[in-house]
Amino acid sequence: MGLFVFSFSEVAKMLKNVPAGDLVRKDELKSLFGGKGYNLAKIFSAKLPVPPGFIVSVKAFEDYHKSKNLSNELMDEIKKYIRELEIDTNRVFNVRNDLYDDEKERRIPLLVSVRSGSKISMPGMLDTILNLGMNDNSANRMYEITNNKKFVMGVYLRFIQMFADVVKKVPKSEFDNCKINSDDFLQEAKKYKDIYKKFVSEDFPDDPYLQIKLAIGAVFASWNSSKAVFYRKMNSISSSLGTAVNIQMMVFGNYGQNSGTGVVFSRNPIHGDKELFGEYLPNAQGEDVVAGHSTPHMISYLNDSCRKIYEELEKYSEILEAEFKDMQDIEFTIENGKLYILQTRSGKRSSQAAIKICVDLIKENKISVREAISRIELSQIEMSIYSSFSPQEVSELTPIANGLSASPGVASGVVVFNTSDAKKEFSAGKNVILVRKETSPEDIEGIQFSSGILTSCGGVTSHAAVIARGMGKCCIVGCSDIEVEEDHFNFKTPDGIRKVKSGDSISLDCCTGNIYLSELKTYFAEPSEEFKTFMSYVDSFSTVKVYANADNKKDLKKSLDFGASGVGLCRTEHMFFGEERIEVMREMILAKGNKKSEAIKKLLSFQKQDFLEMFLEAKGMPVTIRFLDPPLHEFLPKTKEAKLSVMNNLEMKPEEFDVLIESFSEFNPMMGHRGSRLLISYPEIIKMQTEAVITAALEAKERCKDIDIVPEIMIPFINHEKEIEFIVGIIRECADSIILNSEINLDYKIGTMIELPRAALVADKLATYVDFFSFGTNDLTQTTYGISRDDFSKVLKDYRKNNIYKFDPFCRIDEDGVGALIKMAIRIGKKGNKNLKIGVCGEHGGEHHSIRFFESIGVDYVSCSPYRVLSARFSSALARIERKN
Ligand code: PEP
Ligand code: MG
């Protein structure tokens, strides 16, 4: 065993000695050998046909980055492992004429692949070199053995081009323009080497040991290429991980028609169905499939042309899936009728497929529910409900072309042909469709700014497809119907007449692969059965329930569809803004005497109806109704016409009216006459809202006898125990007398929001008056920081630039400050009332990291906007699993 280098069999032995449950050791080995090397060793130990090889570990990478050189010590180890590989394969790495003349048995040249392999897979971001070891001697030798000039030429030229590109950054296009006009591979290789020399002012290295040294250095250096750095940043992959390098005997898929190469997924990565999915390209090398230069056949082609190998592949994919307990993305090569597995890794998949695969693996007893939940990412939950076009609208259109669907969903927007235009249009607020002949990993930034990707070449396992799928982008590849002219910023439609230009609108339907020449409206789809099953598993793991912030029946319905367990915040002020109601509200605020009482009566009947609808919709789930919170001036008329209308209604004179309106103005209304302060000044509002809640609940109970309805009344902006004593007193008196006069028995709860630091500090005193606390973290953050929640974005820009805040405390809870207050308030609040229920209803209630914090401090429920309910349910379960881990 080396210090830096390890053979697959050595790593396989090390893995066998790790106890099944020792995740820490497994992780250490993955860090040392990279994901690809680790998995190759596993394939090796499962006795699958993997080309032999060895791993230059991440330790060597670290060493290289310190000294910017491959040490002699490391090179000695590499030579030792090459020698072992020569013995193992009965091939020779450095074919020399003199040695070869002496040899009795004429040995085949040993060519190797040099591939990167970091702990976390970064498809296409790091460099690879194939056919290393080629020089004139090995080329001649290969020709003697194969008698196939075309094959030898293909192998030799590809090597020179790849080496030149990866090691010396010679643009591929330099070679593309070189004419091949003979079958003399040495002569044609010389032309390539001349291009190399012209570009780098050095001879092309013929010595395989020098080739391997330079190649490994270049793969290590590719860790810091701009595309790799960007990819890591986008996927939050630590830059300190580094990469290993895997050296493996080359097998040749380009040996003839009996050879080929391909990629298979053990399950369908688009929808998750349990079927072999992939592509096969006869007489080609592996890079041809993933780079997207040519459009390969679907894997069924292999089934038709060589059933035996297809069945072998099916068997291996089952073995690998069972070994890794996850859907696998397997690269294979067939050399002269013999199948080799080149690598396997957990396959990237669409969000929809990720959920289905997890649910199926649970049912197949391959993974636990806990494991399944940990494997899913929050973004996959968010992306699981895919958009679609209206079937009606689509049925009226003829697609201009059809391609291969590489990820689900639909997208429409303006066409662009490069990353910088994608960025420009995206910044201008437009939806963007990136159209390319084929995408390369350099396009990753452009993909990020795009809603959809369309390519004329490449298959569904090309890098473009893999990346788009992982990012939840709609993607159609291999659309050979169209002709993309990137330099002229257009593509020709199949009729050859029309040109779609930069800035034109198109729509992609990734379910059918159809492309339409107009901007279609997108709609959200219904969640799948598997998704519902997965979410039921999720709920069985959560202790923090997820309620919704909903102010009307429509929002409540949406929230329940997303699986909310109740309403944690109904902001009643939102019920007063309708055209018909705002006038009445204004009268209630501004009128006196009978007019005021009449307005209150009208508002009462509106509110009762609103609450009744919500109680009926919630079917016994908790509905938390917050009494009026904002300062009253927010309801007052602002325009001339509106003012005139109210003034006439109230039969007031202009001067009198202006003075009255002016009396409501405040210097700092967010800190002013609002919430509990307002309720204390206007006890008639408390009474009206209590009556509306209680009578609506009684009526709902009467209508649905089998449902127990317990309304929850919530008081905003409390500061002082005396405030709460006063308000609770009025609510109880009013509610109890209504219930007493009713035939129906009704229980109700009263709670307070904790959204001011003083309230948190005296939480033990407040708790004695109420059944629950709900932390209004929007105001609590505003008042703890002393920063206006409405103006914070101006501050944040500079704070971000100067690295003062890591994140926006209005989005993610500040655990050290606001979080500490909440934690303390819960602790002392429970001293005041041990049965106190604890909720959070500020925006933080729907935010992933904040939910993790709330889960850890004993919050019973979070409440968030309807569209965040799904992800909050997931965050809640994950928080518990991670804490227990
Ligand atoms: C809060 O302050 O967190 C809250 C939920 O109330 P609002 O946003 O309505 O002020
Ligand atoms: Mg508030």
Side-chain angles (χ1 to χ4, degrees):
M1 214 180 292
L3 186 63
F4 299 107
V5 186
F6 303 80
S7 69
F8 293 162
S9 65
E10 285 167 346
V11 179
K13 258 188 225 137
M14 287 164 87
L15 294 181
K16 266 206 176 122
N17 290 334
V18 180
D22 192 347
L23 301 180
V24 175
R25 179 65 184 147
K26 280 186 189 166
D27 195 64
E28 273 171 15
L29 293 176
K30 241 182 222 167
S31 304
L32 183 62
F33 300 120
K36 193 179 284 173
Y38 182 96
N39 289 358
L40 280 169
K42 279 199 142 195
I43 308 175
F44 178 90
S45 67
K47 301 207 174 1
L48 263 49
V50 55
F54 55 86
I55 306 166
V56 182
S57 69
V58 173
K59 202 164 170 3
F61 167 88
E62 287 161 359
D63 208 49
Y64 169 85
H65 274 283
K66 264 186 229 138
S67 61
K68 296 277 166 276
N69 203 0
L70 260 62
S71 66
N72 291 340
E73 209 179 354
L74 171 62
M75 282 315 295
D76 286 346
E77 279 192 28
I78 289 172
K79 280 182 192 159
K80 176 176 155 271
Y81 277 86
I82 290 271
R83 262 195 304 281
E84 281 180 17
L85 199 56
E86 286 181 318
I87 295 165
D88 217 18
T89 58
N90 197 25
R91 296 184 183 198
V92 59
F93 186 56
N94 190 6
V95 178
R96 294 199 326 263
N97 281 328
D98 52 342
L99 185 128
Y100 141 70
D101 282 344
D102 289 348
E103 270 187 306
K104 271 200 204 125
E105 197 189 334
R106 298 180 146 203
R107 285 205 271 154
I108 303 172
L110 169 64
L111 302 188
V112 293
S113 61
V114 178
R115 293 166 186 260
S116 59
S118 89
K119 183 179 176 184
I120 298 172
S121 156
M122 299 164 53
M125 296 299 134
L126 304 178
D127 287 332
T128 287
I129 297 179
L130 302 179
N131 307 340
L132 187 139
M134 274 308 268
N135 55 25
D136 286 359
N137 290 344
S138 42
N140 279 328
R141 185 76 194 97
M142 279 168 75
Y143 175 58
E144 277 180 27
I145 297 164
T146 62
N147 201 24
N148 184 341
K149 284 186 179 173
K150 194 171 166 227
F151 164 66
V152 177
M153 173 110 71
V155 171
Y156 204 175
L157 298 188
R158 178 185 288 261
F159 167 59
I160 299 171
Q161 190 175 2
M162 275 185 125
F163 185 93
D165 169 36
V166 170
V167 179
K168 298 289 181 184
K169 308 292 166 234
V170 184
K172 285 189 187 132
S173 55
E174 293 286 320
F175 296 97
D176 292 342
N177 298 331
C178 174
K179 285 218 165 36
I180 305 296
N181 44 20
S182 79
D183 62 358
D184 182 340
F185 46 82
L186 295 189
Q187 187 184 311
E188 299 302 333
K190 169 90 172 44
K191 284 189 203 162
Y192 267 42
K193 288 181 184 177
D194 287 345
I195 294 172
Y196 177 93
K197 188 167 180 179
K198 192 174 127 222
F199 205 87
V200 296
S201 306
E202 272 172 25
D203 283 332
F204 187 85
D206 282 326
D207 173 7
Y209 287 103
L210 180 56
Q211 291 173 359
I212 204 166
K213 181 174 180 180
L214 294 172
I216 293 172
V219 174
F220 280 162
S222 71
W223 180 255
N224 287 328
S225 70
S226 51
K227 65 182 175 190
V229 170
F230 183 81
Y231 185 89
R232 286 200 296 274
K233 208 163 151 200
M234 192 177 73
N235 292 286
S236 309
I237 299 173
S238 160
S239 59
S240 66
L241 286 181
T243 182
V245 175
N246 300 283
I247 312 285
Q248 257 179 305
M249 179 189 84
M250 280 300 305
V251 285
F252 297 101
N254 54 342
Y255 209 78
Q257 284 310 315
N258 204 12
S259 304
T261 187
V263 176
V264 278
F265 289 80
S266 57
R267 297 182 192 231
N268 185 313
I270 303 173
H271 310 296
D273 293 343
K274 194 173 180 193
E275 62 188 12
L276 218 54
F277 174 93
E279 292 174 329
Y280 178 64
L281 201 55
N283 199 10
Q285 285 201 290
E287 274 298 294
D288 298 328
V289 179
V290 292
H293 300 313
S294 17
T295 305
H297 301 286
M298 293 312 279
I299 196 69
S300 53
Y301 174 91
L302 186 61
N303 193 14
D304 300 337
S305 59
C306 190
R307 186 153 183 77
K308 203 177 121 278
I309 292 212
Y310 183 83
E311 282 172 357
E312 215 181 324
L313 200 55
E314 267 184 329
K315 189 176 87 189
Y316 294 159
S317 102
E318 284 222 358
I319 293 174
L320 290 173
E321 202 184 85
E323 177 70 33
F324 290 98
K325 298 186 177 18
D326 196 7
M327 183 264 257
Q328 294 297 293
D329 163 354
I330 304 160
E331 269 181 41
F332 67 94
T333 284
I334 302 166
E335 184 187 81
N336 241 337
K338 179 166 170 41
L339 172 65
Y340 289 93
I341 302 296
L342 299 191
Q343 78 165 64
T344 189
R345 59 185 171 197
S346 283
K348 296 246 181 269
R349 59 206 80 181
S350 71
S351 312
Q352 191 185 354
I355 304 281
K356 173 155 172 53
I357 290 169
C358 271
V359 170
D360 289 348
L361 289 176
I362 292 170
K363 287 185 185 154
E364 291 163 29
N365 277 329
K366 289 195 173 130
I367 56 171
S368 66
V369 171
R370 177 189 291 258
E371 170 68 29
I373 295 173
S374 316
R375 274 188 195 180
I376 296 293
E377 285 168 21
L378 179 66
S379 59
Q380 293 176 318
I381 297 289
E382 287 163 346
M383 287 191 278
S384 272
I385 307 162
Y386 284 107
S387 52
S388 62
F389 297 136
S390 132
Q392 169 72 20
E393 224 175 322
V394 167
S395 69
E396 287 162 14
L397 295 169
T398 311
I400 53 159
N402 182 274
L404 302 172
S405 153
S407 62
V410 298
S412 52
V414 294
V415 170
V416 297
F417 291 91
N418 56 43
T419 293
S420 74
D421 285 353
K423 203 168 174 175
K424 213 161 52 200
E425 297 287 18
F426 174 82
S427 312
K430 293 189 191 157
N431 288 329
V432 176
I433 307 289
L434 178 65
V435 181
R436 305 281 285 153
K437 226 184 243 163
E438 65 197 45
T439 73
S440 73
E442 273 77 4
D443 292 322
I444 179 153
E445 213 181 341
I447 295 176
Q448 205 195 14
F449 291 115
S450 308
S451 309
I453 295 100
L454 168 64
T455 72
S456 56
C457 276
V460 289
T461 52
S462 64
H463 286 137
V466 168
I467 289 175
R469 204 151 42 230
M471 288 165 77
K473 305 279 180 180
C474 172
C475 180
I476 295 178
V477 292
C479 180
S480 51
D481 288 350
I482 60 166
E483 197 183 324
V484 180
E485 299 177 312
E486 285 163 2
D487 295 342
H488 297 100
F489 302 100
N490 67 53
F491 69 80
K492 271 195 208 142
T493 56
D495 56 23
I497 307 162
R498 254 176 313 176
K499 285 188 176 184
V500 180
K501 298 182 298 307
S502 204
D504 289 350
S505 295
I506 61 166
S507 297
L508 311 181
D509 184 341
C510 296
C511 305
T512 57
N514 284 341
I515 296 138
Y516 300 95
L517 201 55
S518 56
E519 189 156 358
L520 295 174
K521 205 166 174 295
T522 54
Y523 299 88
F524 279 102
E526 283 295 308
S528 66
E529 278 312 308
E530 283 83 15
F531 186 77
K532 289 181 194 157
T533 308
F534 180 79
M535 289 311 289
S536 70
Y537 292 146
V538 162
D539 289 340
S540 70
F541 264 86
S542 332
T543 43
V544 178
K545 288 204 164 60
V546 178
Y547 293 2
N549 294 353
D551 313 323
N552 53 55
K553 192 172 129 188
K554 196 168 134 260
D555 283 356
L556 174 53
K557 213 163 157 0
K558 187 94 241 149
S559 314
L560 297 179
D561 287 346
F562 286 137
S565 305
V567 175
L569 174 62
C570 168
R571 292 176 164 106
T572 50
E573 60 270 21
H574 291 177
M575 297 168 154
F576 296 127
F577 282 112
E579 220 178 286
E580 186 192 13
R581 299 176 178 198
I582 190 74
E583 283 273 317
V584 186
M585 185 65 183
R586 285 168 183 163
E587 280 175 25
M588 196 238 4
I589 298 167
L590 300 171
K592 298 228 161 53
N594 274 351
K595 263 202 181 306
K596 189 179 191 90
S597 320
E598 266 169 42
I600 288 180
K601 253 195 222 142
K602 275 193 206 158
L603 287 178
L604 170 65
S605 91
F606 289 141
Q607 289 250 280
K608 184 184 163 191
Q609 187 56 30
D610 293 336
F611 298 149
L612 177 61
E613 284 176 4
M614 292 194 69
F615 291 139
L616 292 174
E617 192 65 47
K619 298 191 180 63
M621 286 184 186
V623 177
T624 315
I625 292 163
R626 182 180 78 183
F627 280 6
L628 203 64
D629 183 29
L632 290 183
H633 79 93
E634 283 193 15
F635 299 99
L636 296 182
K638 308 275 177 310
T639 64
K640 230 177 171 179
E641 301 79 54
K643 280 185 183 163
L644 211 60
S645 158
V646 183
M647 194 176 80
N648 291 341
N649 267 351
L650 297 178
E651 295 162 2
M652 288 175 91
K653 293 199 185 85
E655 315 79 63
E656 191 191 356
F657 185 73
D658 287 347
V659 171
L660 182 59
I661 294 276
E662 187 50 33
S663 70
F664 286 94
S665 82
E666 294 180 77
F667 283 110
N668 193 349
M670 277 302 265
M671 300 288 173
H673 204 179
R674 57 170 288 203
S676 54
R677 298 159 207 174
L678 186 76
L679 297 172
I680 288 167
S681 301
Y682 296 84
E684 59 272 29
I685 297 178
I686 308 178
K687 287 183 194 150
M688 181 276 284
Q689 292 204 296
T690 305
E691 190 176 338
V693 171
I694 299 297
T695 53
L698 286 168
E699 191 169 329
K701 250 190 132 172
E702 185 160 31
R703 286 206 211 169
C704 308
K705 300 221 161 40
D706 48 342
I707 295 174
D708 190 23
I709 293 167
V710 182
E712 306 197 5
I713 293 171
M714 183 155 79
I715 309 162
F717 230 57
I718 282 288
N719 219 333
H720 200 283
E721 60 277 20
K722 284 285 176 197
E723 287 174 329
I724 207 153
E725 187 183 338
F726 179 86
I727 296 168
V728 167
I730 297 175
I731 294 172
R732 289 213 186 281
E733 194 184 318
C734 178
D736 292 348
S737 84
I738 299 169
I739 297 167
L740 204 67
N741 290 324
S742 151
E743 312 266 280
I744 301 162
N745 207 7
L746 181 78
D747 197 7
Y748 64 93
K749 293 196 160 70
I750 303 178
T752 178
M753 292 189 72
I754 304 284
E755 45 190 346
L756 295 168
R758 190 179 194 283
L761 292 165
V762 298
D764 48 347
K765 296 193 179 111
L766 302 182
T768 58
Y769 294 95
V770 292
D771 304 300
F772 66 93
F773 280 174
S774 180
F775 288 90
T777 47
N778 304 331
D779 275 316
L780 191 57
T781 302
Q782 167 169 261
T783 50
T784 304
Y785 272 74
I787 298 177
S788 155
R789 61 194 259 194
D790 299 313
D791 298 317
F792 182 64
S793 56
K794 292 179 202 147
V795 178
L796 189 64
K797 213 167 58 209
D798 296 332
Y799 271 50
R800 280 246 168 86
K801 198 171 75 202
N802 293 300
N803 250 335
I804 292 176
Y805 290 164
K806 271 210 217 120
F807 50 82
D808 178 347
F810 285 98
C811 293
R812 174 175 167 177
I813 200 77
D814 153 42
E815 292 181 24
D816 296 343
V818 181
L821 261 181
I822 296 175
K823 199 170 161 183
M824 181 212 65
I826 295 176
R827 184 173 49 79
I828 62 172
K830 290 217 168 177
K831 276 190 191 153
N833 174 359
K834 67 178 177 7
N835 296 320
L836 198 68
K837 182 164 100 167
I838 308 288
V840 173
C841 65
E843 283 309 299
H844 306 84
E847 196 277 325
H848 184 66
H849 300 91
S850 312
I851 293 174
R852 189 186 301 154
F853 174 72
F854 297 140
E855 197 275 344
S856 74
I857 59 169
V859 165
D860 296 308
Y861 71 91
V862 290
S863 188
C864 56
S865 64
Y867 280 94
R868 292 180 95 183
V869 166
L870 269 180
S871 55
R873 284 164 66 197
F874 176 71
S875 301
S876 164
L878 199 62
R880 175 150 177 256
I881 289 173
E882 282 178 0
R883 189 167 52 83
K884 291 225 155 181
N885 280 349

